[in-house]
Amino acid sequence: MLPAIVLKHKKEESLLRLHPWVFSGAIKALPHGLQEGDLVAVLANDGTPLGTGYYQIGSIAVRMLSFNEAETIDHDFWRTRLKAALALRESLGLQRVDNSAFRLVHGEGDRLPGLVIDCFDGVAVMQAHTVAMHRMRHELAEALADVLGDSLKAVFYKSEGTLPYKANTGAKDGYLYQCPEFDDTNVTATENGLRFRIDYAEGQKTGFFIDQRDNRALLRRYANGKRVLNLFGYTGGFSVYALQGGARLVHTVDSSARAIALAEENVGLNFPDTDRHEGIEADAFRFLQGGRTAEYDIVVLDPPAFAKHRDVLRQALRGYTRLNEAALRHMPAGSLLFTFSCSQAVSREQFRLAVFTAAARTGRHVRILHQLTQPADHPVSIYHPEGEYLKGLVLHVE
Ligand code: SAH
């Protein structure tokens, strides 16, 4: 029997609508001795069972794993969930000879709150965002091996940076599984026919930002003959696509020397002899001073999340405005700006308003050509709109 969490009167309503979070204020009392990461049965005030979740210290106190109280959270449960996640990616056509990078698990979007798994040519990079998922990591790795079969080369656990720091889990990044012939010195994956080296051990997040795949492909469509500036370029994803699209020149700017080295390596993997690309280690805000965007036909702005929490939201919105204004002000007539926000705390409307403010300050005629989001392997449960985080606009500047 799992410890039971009983909700206050009427606080079951969001769960009945399949929203997977229970906020701490909705809970009548926590069972004695409950530990962070424990599985719990959730009950309405009148004792009606609502399902099974796990407990985490914080304002989101319970994340639901199942709305069927009869379902046991065991090996079969994880295997079934992972199988369903894989079936979706298969149906999306993301496992192809020319595409071996995709997100297999996107948290609540795959009914596995607190868990992210990215796959890079058979290497699964697993991120736990909660103590429960951290505790389950070995079971999850076993279930992954069952579901992916021979195609699984390794499972790398990368959670030091994503677990709540107060939890004190002592989590260490490292392999949970490696098949005997696995060689981790040079892992590459293919995305839409382009090759990328994946540095999951040292790189940011899972090592590669799969979420921009469709947006990079859009840039490729427009890049022919253009001068492209990729600000906050990281592994050079946008840059490689622009080069393939026939860009005349591409400049990748990132403040991290390591990122620039990776971007250059990725350009070299795909276009060994090109002289159309230059990597520039610089602060993007500083780079934009002095009207540098006048020299480009397409500018990509994909900064890291400015607002990691709601309390810094206003400051983040000002940051987006400042950045977009600095880019837009000097762009030549007829140029395109691809601008993004990956802050979950910033809504689509708020981001658009921040960019509107930037445009208005320049007084230029700016039109929205595309409104972009995260790709289909980052699905959003309709009951959990918080799962939508990536927002983008393609702007035409006159
Ligand atoms: N566009 C990338 C992802 C960007 S991640 C892609 O498609 O994969 C954000 C990047 O911004 C990181 O590589 C980080 O090193 C870089 N960065 C953070 N602050 C910066 C700054 N002030 N100037 C330039 N780059 C910065």
Side-chain angles (χ1 to χ4, degrees):
M1 274 270 287
L2 296 176
I5 280 189
V6 181
L7 303 185
K8 291 180 186 161
H9 182 56
K10 283 210 160 161
K11 290 294 185 192
E12 71 280 16
E13 282 173 2
S14 64
L15 290 188
L16 294 173
R17 287 194 304 270
L18 305 182
H19 189 282
W21 293 349
V22 178
F23 289 96
S24 54
I27 295 172
K28 211 152 106 181
L30 289 175
H32 189 68
L34 191 68
Q35 300 287 314
E36 193 167 30
D38 284 351
L39 291 173
V40 289
V42 181
L43 308 176
N45 195 251
D46 65 2
T48 308
L50 298 166
T52 306
Y54 62 77
Y55 172 64
Q56 172 92 20
I57 296 170
S59 79
I60 307 168
V62 178
R63 289 167 174 82
M64 299 301 286
L65 291 167
S66 172
F67 289 99
N68 172 5
E69 71 281 1
E71 196 167 34
T72 317
I73 312 301
D74 55 11
H75 182 76
D76 270 354
F77 171 85
W78 301 116
R79 200 176 49 190
T80 307
R81 283 285 152 88
L82 292 177
K83 232 178 168 170
L86 182 63
L88 174 65
R89 278 64 183 180
E90 279 169 352
S91 74
L92 295 172
L94 289 172
Q95 276 189 304
R96 310 187 306 264
V97 187
D98 68 340
N99 197 87
S100 62
F102 58 90
R103 176 155 291 193
L104 175 64
V105 173
H106 185 59
E108 283 81 354
D110 286 289
R111 295 165 67 200
L112 289 168
L115 182 68
V116 163
I117 301 176
D118 282 349
C119 289
F120 302 109
D121 191 30
V123 180
V125 182
M126 188 195 293
Q127 261 187 350
H129 291 257
T130 57
V131 175
M133 287 301 181
H134 170 65
R135 282 211 225 151
M136 296 291 180
R137 65 198 181 282
H138 295 292
E139 276 190 60
L140 284 162
E142 268 175 45
L144 259 179
D146 269 9
V147 169
L148 292 174
D150 291 344
S151 71
L152 184 68
K153 295 178 184 164
V155 179
F156 190 83
Y157 186 63
K158 179 88 188 274
S159 302
E160 278 176 34
T162 54
L163 285 164
Y165 74 98
K166 282 186 187 152
N168 249 328
T169 54
K172 285 268 166 285
D173 294 347
Y175 289 99
L176 299 178
Y177 166 79
Q178 293 182 75
C179 77
E181 43 307 341
F182 177 62
D183 167 17
D184 77 348
T185 51
N186 190 17
V187 174
T188 63
T190 310
E191 185 185 90
N192 287 323
L194 294 163
R195 276 182 71 206
F196 293 95
R197 192 162 94 76
I198 313 295
D199 186 5
Y200 45 82
E202 300 295 328
Q204 303 173 40
K205 305 270 176 78
T206 62
F208 184 71
F209 286 81
I210 299 174
D211 57 2
Q212 290 285 21
R213 180 183 55 237
D214 292 354
N215 304 329
R216 295 194 265 260
L218 183 67
L219 172 67
R220 174 167 63 185
R221 264 169 52 194
Y222 292 136
N224 196 21
K226 299 288 164 55
R227 299 163 299 172
V228 177
L229 173 63
N230 181 12
L231 286 167
F232 308 94
Y234 190 31
T235 56
F238 281 102
S239 303
V240 171
Y241 275 72
L243 289 167
Q244 201 197 29
R248 183 142 54 97
L249 71 84
V250 179
H251 290 166
T252 306
V253 175
D254 200 289
S255 54
S256 146
R258 196 179 177 84
I260 290 300
L262 257 178
E264 285 174 341
E265 188 178 345
N266 285 330
V267 168
L269 272 177
N270 295 281
F271 307 98
D273 304 316
T274 193
D275 56 2
R276 293 180 291 148
H277 179 258
E278 192 185 327
I280 301 164
E281 183 192 332
D283 176 83
F285 288 91
R286 204 162 296 156
F287 184 87
L288 284 172
Q289 283 168 11
R292 287 289 292 276
T293 53
E295 299 160 32
Y296 302 95
D297 309 298
I298 301 181
V299 176
V300 180
L301 283 181
D302 184 24
F306 286 169
K308 295 229 161 74
H309 308 286
R310 295 223 163 259
D311 31 342
V312 292
L313 185 62
R314 281 185 49 190
Q315 196 186 327
L317 291 173
R318 279 200 294 271
Y320 287 117
T321 296
R322 199 157 62 86
L323 184 64
N324 281 276
E325 182 188 346
L328 279 169
R329 188 173 290 284
H330 304 283
M331 288 172 63
S335 60
L336 297 179
L337 176 65
F338 283 61
T339 183
F340 297 95
S341 164
C342 60
S343 300
Q344 193 256 319
V346 174
S347 73
R348 185 162 290 280
E349 293 69 33
Q350 285 166 327
F351 177 60
R352 189 161 153 170
L353 184 61
V355 178
F356 158 85
T357 308
R361 283 189 191 158
T362 68
R364 304 191 63 179
H365 288 285
V366 173
R367 285 178 286 177
I368 298 172
L369 304 186
H370 296 274
Q371 307 198 41
L372 306 176
T373 184
Q374 62 217 52
D377 52 347
H378 295 57
V380 182
S381 162
I382 201 153
Y383 308 113
H384 180 258
E386 297 90 337
E388 183 186 348
Y389 69 99
L390 185 62
K391 302 150 289 281
L393 294 168
V394 180
L395 303 177
H396 180 267
V397 189
E398 279 181 38

